[in-house]
Amino acid sequence: ARFLGGWCLRDAGRSSKRLIGPAEAYRTTTPIIMAAEQTEDKKIDEPEADEDDGKMVDLVSQEGDNFQVEKRVAKMSELVKTMIPEEEDGETDQQEIPLPNVKSQILGKVMEFCKHYCEEPMNEIEKPLKSSNMHEVVQEWYANYVEVEQETLFELILAANYMDIKPLLDLTCATVASMIKGKTPEDIRKTFNIVNDFTPEEEAQVREENKWCEEA
């Protein structure tokens, strides 16, 4: 078994050299999933309700679309929190925060998550993952939230990593882990549209080199 983001999984990354379609995103996000383990003990700041109640901020997507959200919701993103300037006395202008790496569709989904999290925080996700069914891992709303196309899921992982929103990163990485949990390398290739271009000799060599993964 291999540990990705703290969840115990069978190795997929070493079984292919060329990725296409959704697999390209899978390859891109795998290091992020692994990095989630390193932030396991990081405390999540509770939304700053009193000081920011009623105050708004504009988040600007890659396409230039504006998303007007409550400042306390936007501050779930550690990146956004650092980009919001200190208010001067009497200052009333609404602040704009550019997020050039996040598409409008994904930013809307991210803010949907943050708004709900402020009202109903997500349960902590156990590691290793106790089930491949996300409905048995988190509350119903969060399990339904990640029932999206693979491409959207991987873009949410990238956005959560870029915006530094740990609960969203945990949820999306756990979802990818649940898609891999208990599957053979062949099953994983099918799930993520991974082309196996190893020769039989190369594959045998890789399996031998990584025999410890199978035995762990």
Side-chain angles (χ1 to χ4, degrees):
R2 178 178 179 143
F3 288 87
L4 296 182
W7 295 287
C8 186
L9 310 170
R10 189 172 295 275
D11 193 330
R14 295 177 184 266
S15 60
S16 174
K17 293 187 292 187
R18 185 176 70 247
L19 306 177
I20 60 175
E24 184 70 29
Y26 174 74
R27 181 176 61 181
T28 303
T29 55
T30 294
I32 298 172
I33 298 172
M34 296 177 68
E37 184 179 33
Q38 300 172 6
T39 61
E40 182 176 353
D41 298 325
K42 180 180 175 182
K43 288 203 75 175
I44 302 169
D45 293 335
E46 292 298 321
E48 301 172 18
D50 297 332
E51 167 184 343
D52 294 322
D53 264 354
K55 296 179 181 178
M56 307 296 287
V57 62
D58 280 335
L59 304 182
V60 185
S61 70
Q62 183 182 90
E63 296 90 335
D65 295 325
N66 279 45
F67 290 78
Q68 188 177 96
V69 297
E70 288 185 68
K71 188 178 289 189
R72 69 185 184 93
V73 173
K75 280 187 172 182
M76 276 197 63
S77 162
E78 293 296 326
L79 172 67
V80 170
K81 185 187 290 188
T82 62
M83 295 173 71
I84 295 178
E86 294 292 330
E87 291 185 10
E88 302 291 339
D89 289 340
E91 184 179 350
T92 58
D93 289 346
Q94 195 157 303
Q95 297 145 338
E96 283 193 358
I97 307 297
L99 298 170
N101 289 358
V102 187
K103 297 176 184 176
S104 296
Q105 177 195 359
I106 300 303
L107 185 54
K109 284 285 292 180
V110 170
M111 288 301 104
E112 179 187 353
F113 174 91
C114 292
K115 288 174 186 176
H116 188 85
Y117 189 93
C118 286
E119 302 302 323
E120 181 196 9
M122 184 179 70
N123 296 337
E124 184 176 351
I125 298 176
E126 296 180 21
K127 301 176 184 179
L129 203 61
K130 65 181 182 181
S131 171
S132 60
N133 182 357
M134 291 304 292
H135 290 269
E136 297 176 4
V137 176
V138 291
Q139 301 101 303
E140 190 75 10
W141 188 93
Y142 293 102
N144 291 335
Y145 175 85
V146 286
E147 290 180 350
V148 295
E149 296 291 329
Q150 277 187 26
E151 182 179 356
T152 299
L153 178 61
F154 288 126
E155 288 195 26
L156 284 171
I157 291 176
L158 294 172
N161 185 61
Y162 168 66
M163 295 178 68
D164 197 357
I165 306 174
K166 186 179 184 298
L168 180 56
L169 187 60
D170 282 348
L171 175 63
T172 49
C173 287
T175 302
V176 173
S178 73
M179 296 164 68
I180 299 172
K181 188 176 176 66
K183 291 186 177 179
T184 66
E186 290 72 23
D187 291 334
I188 294 169
R189 290 189 192 109
K190 291 178 183 177
T191 299
F192 296 103
N193 195 26
I194 299 173
V195 175
N196 178 22
D197 59 357
F198 281 148
T199 65
E201 292 76 18
E202 287 175 326
E203 185 161 350
Q205 181 182 349
V206 170
R207 287 183 182 277
E208 182 62 30
E209 290 174 352
N210 295 278
K211 199 171 182 180
W212 64 270
C213 295
E214 305 291 334
E215 297 171 350

